[in-house]
C-alpha cells in the first residue's frame, strides 16, 4: 500500500469513526429526552432528521471510501454501488433541507411579537413534519435517476467509457447531458441555500436589534447571560456557516470532477473528504451550543439516582 493511500485511509477512518460517535452521542441524548422530558423542543425533531442524514452520509460515503483507501476496491456489487450512491445523495439533500427548515423556524421563533411573523409562531411547529417529509420525498425523486449511471467495478468489463470513483464507476455521457442533470440536481440545493442566506441575515439583524434594546438594562445590574433563544440562534448560525463553507468547497472540487472523464486520484479523494466533513463536525457544534446536550449521560444518571435518594430519605 502506498503512503498516500495510507494517509487518505487514516483521514477517512478518523472522519468516519469520530462522526459516528458524535452522532450516536447526540442520538442518545434525544432518546434520553424522549423518556425523561414531558415536552420536547420543536427543533429536536428537525435535528433527529439531520442525524439520520448524517448517518447516511457517513455509512454510504465515509465507510466505502475508507475501505477503498485501504485497498478493498471491489467489495461492492452493482446493486451495492447504486444503493450507496443513492442513499448518500438523499442524505446530503435531507441534510441541506433540515438546516434550511431549522434556520427558517428559528427566524420565526425569535421574531418580535408585533412583527409579521407573529401569527406563524403558533402554527410553525405544525409545519415541521410536512416540511421535512417534503424534503425526503423530493430528494428521493430527484436522485432516483442517479443509480442508473453508477455501476459496480465487478460487473464493469469495459472501462473505456466509465469514470473511476475508486470503489465504483459511472457511465460517461456527453457534456450537454451531464450539465442538464447537474443543473437539475442543483435546483433544490440553490433554493435551500437562498433561504438559509435570507434566514441567517435576518437572524443577525434581529440579534443586533435585541442587543441594542437590552444595553440599557445591563447597566442596571441585569444578568449578562444570554437568553436560550439567543444561544440557540448563535448555534444555528454557526451550523449554517460551517455547512455553507464545506458545501462551497465541495462544489469547487465537484465541478472539475463532473467535467473530467478521468479525474485525478487526489481530486476524487478531496471531494469525498469535503462531503463527509459536515456530518462529522455538526453533532459537536450542536453539543457545544447546547449545554444540555453536552452532558446527556450525567443527566440520565442524575434522573435515575434522584428517586433512589428520595427512598433512602
Amino acid at each position: 500500500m502506498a503512503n498516500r493511500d495510507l494517509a487518505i485511509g487514516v483521514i477517512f477512518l478518523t472522519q468516519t469513526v469520530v462522526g459516528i460517535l458524535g452522532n450516536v452521542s447526540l442520538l442518545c441524548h434525544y432518546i434520553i429526552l424522549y423518556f425523561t422530558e414531558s415536552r420536547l423542543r420543536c427543533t429536536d425533531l428537525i435535528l433527529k432528521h439531520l442525524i439520520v442524514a448524517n448517518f447516511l452520509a457517513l455509512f454510504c460515503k465515509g465507510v466505502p471510501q475508507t475501505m477503498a483507501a485501504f485497498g478493498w476496491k471491489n467489495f461492492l456489487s452493482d446493486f451495492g454501488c447504486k444503493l450507496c450512491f443513492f442513499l448518500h445523495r438523499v442524505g446530503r439533500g435531507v441534510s441541506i433541507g433540515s438546516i434550511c427548515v431549522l434556520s427558517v423556524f428559528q427566524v420565526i421563533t425569535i421574531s418580535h411579537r408585533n412583527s409579521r411573523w407573529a401569527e406563524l409562531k403558533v402554527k410553525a411547529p405544525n409545519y415541521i413534519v410536512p416540511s421535512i417529509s417534503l424534503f425526503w420525498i423530493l430528494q428521493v425523486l430527484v436522485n432516483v435517476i442517479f443509480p442508473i449511471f453508477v455501476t459496480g467495478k465487478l460487473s464493469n468489463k469495459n472501462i473505456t467509457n466509465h469514470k473511476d470513483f475508486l470503489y465504483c464507476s459511472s457511465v460517461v455521457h456527453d457534456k450537454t447531458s451531464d450539465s442538464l442533470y447537474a443543473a437539475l440536481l442543483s435546483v433544490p440545493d440553490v433554493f435551500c441555500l437562498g433561504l438559509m442566506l435570507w434566514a441567517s441575515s435576518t437572524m443577525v439583524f434581529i440579534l443586533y436589534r435585541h442587543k441594542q434594546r437590552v444595553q440599557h438594562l445591563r447597566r442596571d445590574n441585569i444578568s449578562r447571560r444570554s437568553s436560550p433563544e439567543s444561544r440557540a440562534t448563535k448555534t444555528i448560525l454557526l451550523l449554517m456557516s460551517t455547512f455553507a463553507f464545506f458545501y462551497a468547497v465541495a462544489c469547487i472540487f465537484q465541478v472539475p470532477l463532473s467535467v473530467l472523464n478521468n479525474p485525478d486520484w487526489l481530486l476524487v479523494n478531496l471531494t469525498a473528504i469535503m462531503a463527509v466533513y459536515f456530518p462529522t463536525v455538526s453533532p459537536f457544534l450542536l453539543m457545544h451550543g447546547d449545554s444540555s446536550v453536552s452532558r446527556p449521560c450525567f443527566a440520565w444518571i442524575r434522573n435515575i439516582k434522584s428517586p433512589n435518594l428520595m427512598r433512602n430519605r
Side-chain angles (χ1 to χ4, degrees), residues 6 89 105 123 142 147 172 211 213 236 256:
L6 180 61
R89 291 290 309 182
F105 180 81
K123 299 179 181 179
V142 170
V172 176
K211 183 179 179 180
R213 192 179 299 115
I236 294 172

Side-chain angles (χ1 to χ4, degrees), residues 210 225-232:
H210 176 72
R225 187 178 181 181
S226 59
S227 64
E229 292 81 5
S230 177
R231 293 195 301 272

